């Protein structure tokens, strides 16, 4: 009897080690959990799923809007890979995105009627990255020099960034004669990111995001920077003995993370809203944190998980429009999804890594 | 009486326990002896319910038991003292003692205090109940853990390498306490690779080799026969290095520093080329602060550190490293290696200078080399946390720079069996012979210091109280200095 | 080898969605219904601006039998982060909408963008001026009600009621529209004060406080509940609401429970006095139904031209649901005397006997808005540059 139980246990363990089976089981569990939550809130689960799917992927233009959300979300998530690698929780990504958007708008306001819009755009991209990086560096310095936990520093700086953008929109950058939280004057049409016809996809943003994915993959896997970040993240004390400077690498990771978030902010300004608005970040920073964690910090999964969340974000607008359910329900879906996945991750880790020291 | 019958445990293709059977009698001290990686720890973890065997039976008093967890094992009176004590450093001694046994909402602290005093008195321990655990030495934390386990009703106490990292005095206390416990009918299982400890203390010895039982023996023991059971081939012990003393190249002048319990107070020291210097003293008497200061990891408060007559105080650790000064910490997994990275990745990390693009192929070849040369029992892609202590130390040795000028080693042979320790020393001494390297190392074992070093420094309360050539001193003089009964310098 | 599981995962996820969605192809029904879309800036049940539009949409469905409404509320970047107007327009058009109404000034840029992208679909931007300035493409029209009259009535009722002589205006954000509405309120109040009550204009205090948006966005705007409370606490006894939601009457009602003699005038929605009858002096409201029906039936016939509409009340019966675009419903708290005076005021405005946008009127900074006997034209009212002298509060942001 006991033998039998044991062999069952082993079989279950082996099955869980198989990635395809694991993903299958995960999806099934996630599906059951979310459906239960939906039923509890009184929403018909199947119609909800159907509408979210149709609302995000059924037509080319909807797919375009998904990609429009995917670009900044993925950029932020890529940036977070650097900081998570070195074991920093860059909660400040939201603020870094905002500051990137502010720097971008600043450049555009400086040269509204330039004859070389491409150059201005490049300048705006570049300075938004600098802005985001600078904002991240502030949190980085607070961490490395001041010993302030990066989570608190990041949260604080998020508030400061939010305050700054409100002040700019309500004050110096207001529309002439208007004082409204609805945003600044629209930027000149020549400086809008051009879109693929009949969709909301800016090819420039798409290409640069893929480039960022590719470069980050190489950087993390094949360079001393990637190895150094990982080593310091896993054991800062030992990394010192290998001649690495933890504080230097931490600042470097913040610069990469902040720069990419800042760039995402600039995409929001030039490609999506065409002006600066108070909620320019669309909460993509916080969402990106979830994306990276659910991807298990694996860059190959990041674009896929990010795509999934973008679908959820775009598709959930169907809930109020078609089913007349409040779309904040998609937040509930997101929440139960994240919880179930995290629980499964924990289970997976427990089953797959026996903690004992392996004798030879 | 505990019977272990045909226990098998394997990790992947590695057979850690390959059909082990033995019997542990009540009221006896039973030693499990074996080289690093012989399967001792695995067997004990199975016995304490920490892991589960693949096959085989455990019987207690003729009844078959199945330990699905440590708490189940605990209900059968089996308790294990791990090499790294599992306690809460931020809590007080008495709080740690109460954890796990206090039931109900209102904790009757007084009852526990009484029990604590009673137990520790009977075993000859002297712990302050209100001390914070983080201020205790390893030996004291061990005592606390023993008290806690006994209070939980442990009948069979398993100790994993208990004499590692504790002072001789603490060892004596421990041994007499263990002997006392057997008189009360409790069984002690001692896991060790230290022949000397085992021979003095135990009634029965079971020797393991490569996952199998290679022999049993009862008192009195034949050392040579035990060694034959432990090792297939015995490596020869290293001797004291005999070379001519070179010129002074590294010196500390009036150095004071903070750190540890006592810091470092006005240290003056000159180090010659080819020196092998052993640092003795009770743990926390200033030796490790001294090593960290000398390697640029800890800042000095005052004084100068000179390398080739140039003051290098205030330079970064990386500068020290690039000048040929290398430090290896004693806690390998905590400070020396990066858990989560493979051997190959460690080889890449230690490359100097680091190229921007990591050459995986080249690192793979070098790590294969290292594995062969240093007899590391692992594959290039093995994660370092899966290596045994000896293999971790071999890996660290393989990562040392080619021509170090000064090696600062904290307990370089801690936790290693004899043959591994000999291997380490043979390798280190080669540096001194060919590259004018000097070595400074700490060790809790005076025998080791006497065996390999040509100069000894004894630390007491942050100061060097004895500095002599090993040839010109005696164990007695060293022992007195360690205990602070100072002699003339 | 390493990438294989990820490919499989992606495949599995896709299958999963295909499974739950049945057939992914969207089937558009080619039937006779005319679908129109409605983008509401606030919640559809806000007892204010957005609800008025939502009910107008229902009114259209009732009066044009073959019409069908698609709607979505809370269309603003704070409530729906990441969602843009062109995105919603795309979606509604895919669902068959042939005309889209955007109900907020805030949507101006987005709706112009969407209209440019879909030249074959009609767009109506409520409260904007794109068709007037030429910023908008040919398929976008503007419509607005002459709420100035409603606000004059509100100001009139407030001045007839106040005992302290202090009237407050709870303003949204500052722009041309909100300035002219506030000014209208002031003009109505000053008329009652000077010509009905025969008191000195200098004794009337009229103050505006702007919260920053059409409704409360926590952390972004000032909190209208607090602003209203502080008005009442500093001696103002009538608060006229200029925002989309009902905080002013709610707070007034609470103060009344605490035995304070205060009043409120809500805004935008016919039934806004419900639940606050003890303090409600009345409500000026828009009645969008008739104009919607008009615009949509023109579109159905295919002859909608670009236009900029600024629609007046039906002076014969300002509260007629089928003919009047702007109305004022008297509240239970309005006294009989005030009520009678208000009726006379309304009929005199209808006949043109009373013309409040007539000089001499000066701006807040002392410069001339209207010279003596000059009557303002539409453009001058529409693009109101400042508040008038005599009013307290910001004309623009410092």
């Amino acid at each position: 009897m006991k033998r039998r139980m044991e062999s069952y246990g082993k079989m279950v363990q082996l099955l869980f080690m198989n990635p395809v089976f694991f993903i299958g089981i995960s999806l099934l569990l996630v599906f059951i959990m979310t459906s239960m939550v939906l039923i509890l809130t009184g929403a018909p689960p199947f119609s909800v799923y159907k509408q979210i799917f149709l609302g995000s992927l059924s037509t080319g233009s909807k797919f375009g809007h998904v990609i429009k959300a995917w670009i900044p979300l993925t950029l932020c998530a890529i940036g977070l890979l650097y900081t998570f690698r070195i074991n920093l929780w860059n909660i400040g990504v939201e603020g870094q995105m905002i500051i990137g958007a502010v720097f971008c708008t600043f450049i555009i306001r400086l040269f509204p009627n330039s004859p070389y819009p491409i150059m201005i755009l490049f300048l705006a991209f570049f300075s938004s990255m600098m802005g985001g990086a600078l904002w991240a560096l502030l949190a980085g310095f607070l961490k490395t020099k001041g010993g302030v936990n990066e989570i608190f520093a990041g949260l604080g700086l998020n508030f400061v960034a939010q305050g700054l953008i409100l002040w700019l929109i309500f004050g110096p950058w207001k529309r002439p004669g208007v004082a409204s939280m609805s945003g600044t004057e629209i930027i000149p049409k020549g400086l809008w990111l051009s879109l693929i016809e009949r969709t909301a996809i800016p090819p420039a943003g798409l290409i640069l995001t893929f480039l960022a994915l590719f470069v980050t993959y190489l950087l993390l896997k094949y360079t001393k920077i990637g190895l150094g970040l990982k080593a310091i993240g896993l054991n800062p004390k030992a990394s010192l003995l290998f001649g690495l400077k933890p504080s230097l690498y931490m600042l470097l990771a913040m610069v990469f993370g902040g720069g990419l978030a800042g760039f995402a902010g600039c995409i929001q300004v030039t490609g999506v809203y065409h002006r600066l608005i108070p909620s320019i970040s669309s909460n993509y920073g916080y969402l990106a944190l979830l994306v990276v964690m659910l991807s298990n910090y694996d860059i190959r999964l990041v674009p896929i998980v990010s795509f999934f969340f973008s679908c959820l974000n775009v598709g959930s607008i169907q809930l109020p429009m078609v089913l007349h359910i409040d779309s904040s329900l998609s937040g509930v879906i997101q929440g139960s999804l994240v919880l179930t996945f995290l629980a499964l991750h924990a289970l997976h880790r427990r089953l797959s890594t026996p903690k004992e020291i392996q004798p030879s | 009486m505990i019977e272990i019958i045909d226990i098998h445990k394997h990790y992947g293709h590695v057979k850690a326990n390959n059909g082990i059977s033995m019997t542990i009698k009540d009221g006896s001290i039973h030693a499990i002896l074996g080289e690093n990686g012989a399967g001792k720890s695995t067997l004990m973890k199975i016995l304490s319910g920490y892991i589960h065997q693949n096959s085989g039976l455990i019987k207690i008093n003729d009844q078959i038991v199945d330990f699905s967890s440590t708490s189940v094992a605990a209900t059968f009176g089996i308790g294990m003292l791990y090499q790294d004590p599992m306690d809460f450093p931020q809590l007080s001694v008495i709080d740690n003692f109460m954890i796990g046994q206090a039931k109900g909402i209102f904790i009757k602290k007084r009852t526990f205090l009484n029990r604590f005093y009673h137990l520790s008195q009977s075993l000859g321990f002297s712990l302050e109940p209100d001390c914070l655990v983080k201020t205790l030495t390893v030996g004291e934390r061990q005592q606390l853990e023993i008290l806690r386990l006994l209070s939980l009703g442990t009948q069979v106490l398993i100790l994993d390498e208990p004499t590692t990292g504790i002072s001789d005095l603490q060892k004596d206390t421990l041994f007499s306490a263990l002997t006392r416990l057997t008189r009360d009918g409790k069984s002690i299982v001692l896991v060790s690779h230290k022949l000397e400890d085992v021979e003095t203390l135990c009634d029965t010895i079971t020797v393991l080799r490569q996952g199998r039982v290679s022999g049993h023996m009862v008192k009195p023991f034949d050392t040579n026969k035990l060694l034959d059971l432990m090792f297939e081939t015995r490596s020869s012990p290293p001797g004291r290095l005999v070379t001519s003393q070179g010129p002074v190249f590294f010196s500390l002048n009036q150095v004071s520093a903070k750190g540890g319990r006592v810091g470092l107070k006005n240290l003056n020291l000159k180090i010659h080329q080819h020196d092998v210097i052993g640092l003795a003293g009770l743990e926390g008497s200033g030796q490790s602060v001294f090593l960290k200061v000398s390697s640029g990891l800890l800042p000095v408060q005052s004084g100068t550190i000179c390398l080739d007559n140039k003051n290098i105080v205030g330079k970064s650790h990386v500068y020290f490293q690039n000048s040929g000064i290398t430090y290896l910490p004693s806690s390998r997994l905590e400070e020396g290696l990066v858990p989560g990275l493979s051997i190959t990745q460690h080889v890449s990390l230690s490359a100097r200078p680091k190229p921007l693009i990591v050459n995986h192929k080249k690192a793979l070849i070098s790590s294969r080399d290292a594995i062969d040369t240093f007899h590391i029992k692992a594959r290039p892609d093995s994660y370092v946390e899966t290596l045994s202590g000896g293999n971790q130390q071999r890996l660290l040795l393989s990562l040392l720079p080619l021509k170090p000028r000064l090696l600062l080693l904290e307990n370089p042979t801690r936790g290693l069996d004899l043959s591994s320790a000999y291997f380490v020393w043979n390798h280190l001494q080669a540096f001194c012979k060919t590259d004018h390297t000097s070595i400074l190392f700490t060790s809790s074992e005076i025998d080791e210091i006497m065996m390999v070093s040509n100069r000894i420094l004894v630390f007491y309360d942050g100061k060097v109280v004895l500095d002599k050539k090993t040839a010109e001193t005696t164990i007695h003089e060293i022992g007195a200095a360690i205990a602070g009964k100072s002699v003339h310098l | 080898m390493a990438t294989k599981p990820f490919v499989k995962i992606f495949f599995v996820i896709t299958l999963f969605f295909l499974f739950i969605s049945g057939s992914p192809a969207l089937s558009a029904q080619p039937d006779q219904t005319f679908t129109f879309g409605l983008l509401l800036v606030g919640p559809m049940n806000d007892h204010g601006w957005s609800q008025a539009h939502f009910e107008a949409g229902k009114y259209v469905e009732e009066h044009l039998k073959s019409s069908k409404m698609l709607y979505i509320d809370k269309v603003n970047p704070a409530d729906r982060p990441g969602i843009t107007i062109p995105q919603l327009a795309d979606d509604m058009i895919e669902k068959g909408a042939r005309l889209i109404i955007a109900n907020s000034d805030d949507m101006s840029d987005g709706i112009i963008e969407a209209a440019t992208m879909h030249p074959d679909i009609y767009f109506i931007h409520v409260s904007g001026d794109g068709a007037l300035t030429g910023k908008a493409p040919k398929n976008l029209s503007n419509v607005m009600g002459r709420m100035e009259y409603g606000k004059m009535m509100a100001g009139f009722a407030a001045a007839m009621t106040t005992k302290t002589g202090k009237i407050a205006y709870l303003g949204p954000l500052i722009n041309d529209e909100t300035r002219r509405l506030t000014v209208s309120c002031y003009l109505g109040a000053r008329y009652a004060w000077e010509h009905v009550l025969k008191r000195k204009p200098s004794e009337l205090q009229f103050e505006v406080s702007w919260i920053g948006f059409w409704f409360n966005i926590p952390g972004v705007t000032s909190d209208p509940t607090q602003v209203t409370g502080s008005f009442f606490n500093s001696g103002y006894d009538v608060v006229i609401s200029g925002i989309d939601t009902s905080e002013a009457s709610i707070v007034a009602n609470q103060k009344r429970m605490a035995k304070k003699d205060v009043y409120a005038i809500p805004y935008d929605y016919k039934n806004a006095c419900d639940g606050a009858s003890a303090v409600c002096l009345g409500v000026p409201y828009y009645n969008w139904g008739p104009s919607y029906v008009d615009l949509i039936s023109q579109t159905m016939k295919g002859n909608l031209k670009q236009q900029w509409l600024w629609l007046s009340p039906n002076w014969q019966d300002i509260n007629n649901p089928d003919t009047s675009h702007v109305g004022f419903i008297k509240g239970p708290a309005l006294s009989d005397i005030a009520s009678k005076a208000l009726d006379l005021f309304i009929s005199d405005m209808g006949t043109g006997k009373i013309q409040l946008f007539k000089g001499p009127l000066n701006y807040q900074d002392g410069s001339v808005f209207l010279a003596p006997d000059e009557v303002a034209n539409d453009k001058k009212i529409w693009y109101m540059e400042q508040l008038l002298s005599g009013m307290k509060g910001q004309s623009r942001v410092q």
Side-chain angles (χ1 to χ4, degrees), chain A residues 2-3 6 221-225 227-228 230-231 234-235 237-245 356-360, chain B residues 11 14 16 51-52 66 297 317 321 327 329 333-339 348-349 352 354 356-358 360 377 386:
Chain A
K2 190 163 279 166
R3 285 261 153 156
E6 251 167 48
K221 188 156 185 196
Y222 293 109
T223 67
K224 68 168 180 181
I225 298 171
L227 190 59
K230 191 169 186 184
L234 290 167
N235 192 347
K237 269 189 180 166
S239 64
L240 212 60
L241 302 184
F242 285 100
L244 301 169
K245 291 179 179 149
E356 304 91 43
I357 287 179
Q358 218 170 75
S360 42
Chain B
Y11 300 100
V14 182
I51 54 177
H52 203 266
D66 186 33
L297 281 168
H317 174 63
Q321 274 183 328
Y327 166 79
L333 221 42
E334 286 77 31
E335 292 176 46
L337 295 167
V338 185
S348 302
L349 265 184
R352 294 287 151 70
K354 290 189 188 53
L356 177 64
I357 308 293
V358 174
H360 283 275
K377 288 174 189 168
T386 64

Side-chain angles (χ1 to χ4, degrees), chain B residues 175-351:
Chain B
F175 281 7
S176 63
L178 293 179
T179 316
R180 235 212 85 118
L181 286 173
T182 54
R183 265 183 258 140
D184 298 342
K186 295 189 180 4
S187 312
I188 309 291
V189 181
L190 189 78
V191 178
S192 181
H193 59 257
K194 288 184 192 158
L195 264 179
E196 192 196 351
D197 292 355
V198 167
E199 282 176 333
T200 51
L201 186 67
C202 301
D203 309 310
T204 318
I205 294 178
T206 299
V207 186
L208 298 188
R209 193 170 72 206
Q210 292 180 347
R212 293 171 185 278
V213 175
S214 59
H216 298 283
M217 203 181 272
V218 287
K219 241 175 182 172
F221 306 109
D222 175 350
T223 311
N224 272 324
K225 208 174 157 208
L226 278 176
L227 281 174
D228 285 342
L229 288 174
M230 275 173 79
F231 306 108
E232 278 164 296
T233 50
R234 277 195 260 161
S235 42
S236 57
R240 205 173 285 167
L241 193 66
V242 196
T243 46
S244 54
Q245 201 178 42
V248 171
F249 73 106
F250 186 80
S251 63
L252 279 76
N253 313 302
Q254 291 293 324
V255 168
S256 294
K258 275 189 178 165
R261 264 188 308 184
V262 293
L264 210 58
K265 294 164 189 163
N266 290 328
L267 193 76
N268 286 305
L269 198 65
K270 285 185 172 35
I271 292 169
H272 303 261
Q273 286 181 354
H274 311 299
D275 261 353
V276 176
I277 306 175
L279 310 178
L282 287 174
E283 222 177 321
S285 299
Q287 311 94 303
S288 66
V289 177
F290 163 68
L291 289 182
K292 283 190 173 148
V293 164
S294 306
S295 61
L297 281 168
L298 266 183
V300 301
Q301 279 186 302
S302 61
T304 57
I305 299 173
C306 294
L307 180 70
D308 301 329
N309 292 321
K310 196 180 143 212
N311 186 4
I312 54 172
V313 158
K315 303 276 190 196
S316 72
H317 174 63
V318 175
Y319 179 89
F320 278 67
Q321 274 183 328
N322 293 339
S323 314
I325 300 173
T326 301
Y327 166 79
L328 288 189
S330 89
S331 47
R332 293 159 204 137
L333 221 42
E334 286 77 31
E335 292 176 46
L337 295 167
V338 185
L341 292 190
S342 67
I343 293 182
T344 312
Q345 283 172 313
H346 276 84
V347 170
S348 302
L349 265 184
S350 63

Side-chain angles (χ1 to χ4, degrees), chain B residues 144-185:
Chain B
L144 168 62
E145 186 69 6
I146 291 174
L147 290 177
R148 200 176 69 82
L149 287 170
L150 290 176
S151 172
L152 279 168
T154 296
Q155 290 299 314
V156 180
L157 185 63
I158 305 171
L159 300 103
D160 191 4
E161 305 282 2
T163 55
T164 301
I166 66 174
S167 68
D168 280 351
L169 196 70
Q170 285 168 332
K171 188 163 102 179
D172 291 344
T173 316
L174 175 72
F175 281 7
S176 63
L178 293 179
T179 316
R180 235 212 85 118
L181 286 173
T182 54
R183 265 183 258 140
D184 298 342

Side-chain angles (χ1 to χ4, degrees), chain A residues 61-62 175 179 182 318 327, chain C residues 80 91 94-95 106 109 397:
Chain A
S61 87
K62 286 190 174 110
R175 294 182 176 207
S182 62
Q318 300 298 322
S327 70
Chain C
R80 301 199 190 278
D91 193 32
E94 275 166 9
K95 290 193 166 59
D106 193 30
D109 306 315
V397 177

